[in-house]
Amino acid sequence: MKFFIDTANLEQIKEAQALGILDGVTTNPSLMAKEGITGEANIINHYKAICELVDGDVSAEVISTNFDGMVKEGEALAALNPQIVVKLPMIKDGIKACKYFSSKGIKTNVTLVFSAGQALLAAKAGATYVSPFIGRLDDISTDGLNLISEIRLIYDNYGFQTQILAASVRHTMHIIDCAKLGSDVMTGPLSAIEGLLKHPLTDIGLAKFLEDYKKGN
Ligand code: E4P
């Protein structure tokens, strides 16, 4: 299972990278704005900075909502660095643009996916990644994890190569549940990733080992 961090915060990206388990980064316009990164030139520079920090795929989202705009923006983003994955919204022109980029060998991430049907279309269009937003489904009392299961079943039925990128991961249990359900990738905040480290028995056990070591020295 690949681990992506879902942030535009360079310090958090560095911290996750230093753990040695990071496979990539996802961003979106809201995450950029949260870090105060606004304006085309600043956003482009920020993508470049993120690519320098990590080895893996970095999703960069287009702002256009029509095919021509998405192609223009996506081509410019993809030219920044081979690590860039063009992130496209799950709308009609987004699917057309996904087909365009996949036929040119440019990596894509179809975002804002909330149904199995949308995920099926993204796979048919040759998406590299499909991003079902599990946390946002949970927010409206719909089982986000069930969507991961449905997509896994459909993709396995037909051998689709599109990778399921569980997005809108909010906490540590989401990561574990996505791993159980066979999600190829998860993207979440640093806090959810670091939550995997924690167990009280580990802390108690380590304290006891250190205490007993001191007794013998
Ligand atoms: C995915 O790529 C999105 O950036 C993200 O996971 C959205 O998560 P949110 O619902 O916590 O905003």
Short mmCIF file of all heavy atoms in Angstrom, two decimals, residues 6 26-28 30-31 59 61 87 109 111 131 133 135-136 139 165-170 187-188, ligand 1:
data_model
loop_
_atom_site.label_atom_id
_atom_site.label_comp_id
_atom_site.label_asym_id
_atom_site.label_seq_id
_atom_site.Cartn_x
_atom_site.Cartn_y
_atom_site.Cartn_z
N ASP A 6 -1.45 14.22 2.41
CA ASP A 6 -2.43 15.11 1.79
C ASP A 6 -2.26 16.51 2.39
O ASP A 6 -2.97 16.90 3.31
CB ASP A 6 -3.83 14.55 2.12
CG ASP A 6 -4.94 15.12 1.25
OD1 ASP A 6 -4.65 15.51 0.11
OD2 ASP A 6 -6.09 15.15 1.72
N THR A 26 -0.40 14.49 -2.22
CA THR A 26 -1.55 15.03 -2.95
C THR A 26 -1.83 16.44 -2.42
O THR A 26 -1.65 16.70 -1.23
CB THR A 26 -2.83 14.16 -2.77
OG1 THR A 26 -3.06 13.94 -1.38
CG2 THR A 26 -2.70 12.83 -3.49
N THR A 27 -2.23 17.29 -3.31
CA THR A 27 -2.58 18.66 -2.93
C THR A 27 -3.92 18.98 -3.59
O THR A 27 -4.39 18.22 -4.45
CB THR A 27 -1.55 19.68 -3.44
OG1 THR A 27 -1.53 19.61 -4.87
CG2 THR A 27 -0.16 19.41 -2.90
N ASN A 28 -4.51 20.05 -3.19
CA ASN A 28 -5.69 20.58 -3.89
C ASN A 28 -5.71 22.09 -3.65
O ASN A 28 -4.94 22.59 -2.81
CB ASN A 28 -6.97 19.85 -3.45
CG ASN A 28 -7.31 20.08 -1.99
OD1 ASN A 28 -7.19 21.18 -1.47
ND2 ASN A 28 -7.75 19.02 -1.30
N SER A 30 -7.63 23.99 -2.03
CA SER A 30 -7.93 24.35 -0.64
C SER A 30 -6.70 24.17 0.24
O SER A 30 -6.41 25.01 1.11
CB SER A 30 -9.08 23.51 -0.08
OG SER A 30 -10.20 23.59 -0.91
N LEU A 31 -5.96 23.09 0.02
CA LEU A 31 -4.75 22.85 0.81
C LEU A 31 -3.68 23.91 0.52
O LEU A 31 -2.95 24.33 1.41
CB LEU A 31 -4.20 21.44 0.54
CG LEU A 31 -5.07 20.26 1.04
CD1 LEU A 31 -4.53 18.94 0.52
CD2 LEU A 31 -5.14 20.25 2.56
N SER A 59 0.47 15.01 -6.89
CA SER A 59 -0.74 15.39 -7.62
C SER A 59 -0.92 16.91 -7.62
O SER A 59 -0.89 17.55 -6.56
CB SER A 59 -1.99 14.76 -6.99
OG SER A 59 -2.05 13.40 -7.28
N GLU A 61 -3.51 19.85 -9.09
CA GLU A 61 -4.89 19.94 -9.60
C GLU A 61 -5.09 21.08 -10.59
O GLU A 61 -4.64 22.21 -10.34
CB GLU A 61 -5.85 20.08 -8.40
CG GLU A 61 -7.31 19.93 -8.77
CD GLU A 61 -8.17 19.55 -7.57
OE1 GLU A 61 -7.65 19.01 -6.57
OE2 GLU A 61 -9.38 19.78 -7.65
N LYS A 87 -4.16 16.25 -11.75
CA LYS A 87 -5.37 15.93 -11.00
C LYS A 87 -6.56 16.61 -11.66
O LYS A 87 -6.58 17.84 -11.82
CB LYS A 87 -5.18 16.42 -9.56
CG LYS A 87 -6.08 15.78 -8.54
CD LYS A 87 -5.65 16.23 -7.15
CE LYS A 87 -6.50 15.63 -6.07
NZ LYS A 87 -6.19 16.20 -4.75
N ASN A 109 -4.90 11.74 -11.96
CA ASN A 109 -5.61 11.40 -10.73
C ASN A 109 -7.00 12.01 -10.86
O ASN A 109 -7.13 13.24 -10.91
CB ASN A 109 -4.85 11.99 -9.53
CG ASN A 109 -5.56 11.80 -8.21
OD1 ASN A 109 -6.66 11.25 -8.15
ND2 ASN A 109 -4.94 12.26 -7.14
N THR A 111 -10.23 13.14 -9.37
CA THR A 111 -10.57 13.51 -7.99
C THR A 111 -12.06 13.82 -7.84
O THR A 111 -12.78 13.93 -8.83
CB THR A 111 -9.70 14.72 -7.55
OG1 THR A 111 -9.85 14.90 -6.15
CG2 THR A 111 -10.06 16.00 -8.28
N SER A 131 -9.58 8.87 -7.01
CA SER A 131 -9.63 9.33 -5.61
C SER A 131 -11.05 9.35 -5.03
O SER A 131 -11.74 10.38 -5.12
CB SER A 131 -9.03 10.73 -5.49
OG SER A 131 -7.64 10.69 -5.65
N PHE A 133 -13.42 9.95 -2.05
CA PHE A 133 -13.30 10.78 -0.85
C PHE A 133 -14.08 10.14 0.30
O PHE A 133 -15.25 10.45 0.51
CB PHE A 133 -13.85 12.19 -1.12
CG PHE A 133 -12.90 13.13 -1.80
CD1 PHE A 133 -11.99 12.69 -2.75
CD2 PHE A 133 -12.91 14.49 -1.49
CE1 PHE A 133 -11.12 13.58 -3.38
CE2 PHE A 133 -12.05 15.38 -2.10
CZ PHE A 133 -11.15 14.92 -3.06
N GLY A 135 -13.81 10.31 3.70
CA GLY A 135 -14.20 11.15 4.84
C GLY A 135 -15.41 12.01 4.54
O GLY A 135 -16.30 12.16 5.38
N ARG A 136 -15.46 12.56 3.32
CA ARG A 136 -16.59 13.44 2.99
C ARG A 136 -17.88 12.63 2.87
O ARG A 136 -18.97 13.15 3.11
CB ARG A 136 -16.31 14.23 1.71
CG ARG A 136 -15.22 15.24 1.91
CD ARG A 136 -15.12 16.24 0.78
NE ARG A 136 -13.87 16.97 0.88
CZ ARG A 136 -13.53 17.97 0.10
NH1 ARG A 136 -14.35 18.37 -0.86
NH2 ARG A 136 -12.36 18.58 0.25
N ASP A 139 -19.00 12.09 6.33
CA ASP A 139 -19.58 13.35 6.84
C ASP A 139 -21.08 13.45 6.56
O ASP A 139 -21.80 14.14 7.27
CB ASP A 139 -18.91 14.58 6.17
CG ASP A 139 -17.48 14.80 6.67
OD1 ASP A 139 -17.11 14.20 7.69
OD2 ASP A 139 -16.75 15.57 6.01
N LEU A 165 -6.97 5.29 -4.86
CA LEU A 165 -6.26 6.20 -3.96
C LEU A 165 -7.30 6.72 -2.94
O LEU A 165 -8.04 7.65 -3.25
CB LEU A 165 -5.67 7.35 -4.78
CG LEU A 165 -4.61 8.28 -4.19
CD1 LEU A 165 -4.11 9.27 -5.24
CD2 LEU A 165 -5.02 9.01 -2.95
N ALA A 166 -7.38 6.05 -1.81
CA ALA A 166 -8.37 6.47 -0.80
C ALA A 166 -8.01 7.87 -0.32
O ALA A 166 -6.93 8.10 0.23
CB ALA A 166 -8.37 5.49 0.37
N ALA A 167 -8.92 8.81 -0.57
CA ALA A 167 -8.67 10.21 -0.22
C ALA A 167 -9.66 10.66 0.84
O ALA A 167 -10.58 9.93 1.20
CB ALA A 167 -8.80 11.08 -1.46
N SER A 168 -9.41 11.89 1.34
CA SER A 168 -10.25 12.42 2.42
C SER A 168 -10.18 11.46 3.62
O SER A 168 -11.16 11.26 4.33
CB SER A 168 -11.69 12.60 1.92
OG SER A 168 -12.48 13.28 2.83
N VAL A 169 -8.99 10.90 3.79
CA VAL A 169 -8.72 10.07 4.97
C VAL A 169 -8.57 11.02 6.15
O VAL A 169 -7.84 12.00 6.07
CB VAL A 169 -7.43 9.24 4.73
CG1 VAL A 169 -6.82 8.75 6.03
CG2 VAL A 169 -7.73 8.06 3.79
N ARG A 170 -9.27 10.75 7.23
CA ARG A 170 -9.30 11.70 8.34
C ARG A 170 -8.56 11.23 9.58
O ARG A 170 -8.19 12.02 10.42
CB ARG A 170 -10.75 12.01 8.72
CG ARG A 170 -11.57 12.62 7.59
CD ARG A 170 -11.36 14.12 7.49
NE ARG A 170 -11.98 14.69 6.30
CZ ARG A 170 -13.28 14.88 6.16
NH1 ARG A 170 -14.10 14.56 7.12
NH2 ARG A 170 -13.75 15.41 5.04
N THR A 187 -4.22 8.62 0.95
CA THR A 187 -3.63 9.93 1.20
C THR A 187 -4.32 10.53 2.40
O THR A 187 -5.54 10.58 2.49
CB THR A 187 -3.70 10.87 -0.02
OG1 THR A 187 -2.91 12.03 0.27
CG2 THR A 187 -5.11 11.30 -0.41
N GLY A 188 -3.50 10.96 3.36
CA GLY A 188 -4.07 11.48 4.59
C GLY A 188 -3.14 12.46 5.26
O GLY A 188 -2.00 12.66 4.82
C1 E4P B 1 -7.54 14.35 -2.14
O1 E4P B 1 -6.66 14.33 -2.96
C2 E4P B 1 -7.99 15.55 -1.43
O2 E4P B 1 -6.94 16.47 -1.38
C3 E4P B 1 -8.37 15.30 0.00
O3 E4P B 1 -8.11 14.02 0.43
C4 E4P B 1 -9.59 15.95 0.50
O4 E4P B 1 -9.76 15.66 1.86
P1 E4P B 1 -10.75 16.47 2.81
O5 E4P B 1 -12.12 15.90 2.62
O6 E4P B 1 -10.22 16.18 4.19
O7 E4P B 1 -10.66 17.90 2.42
#
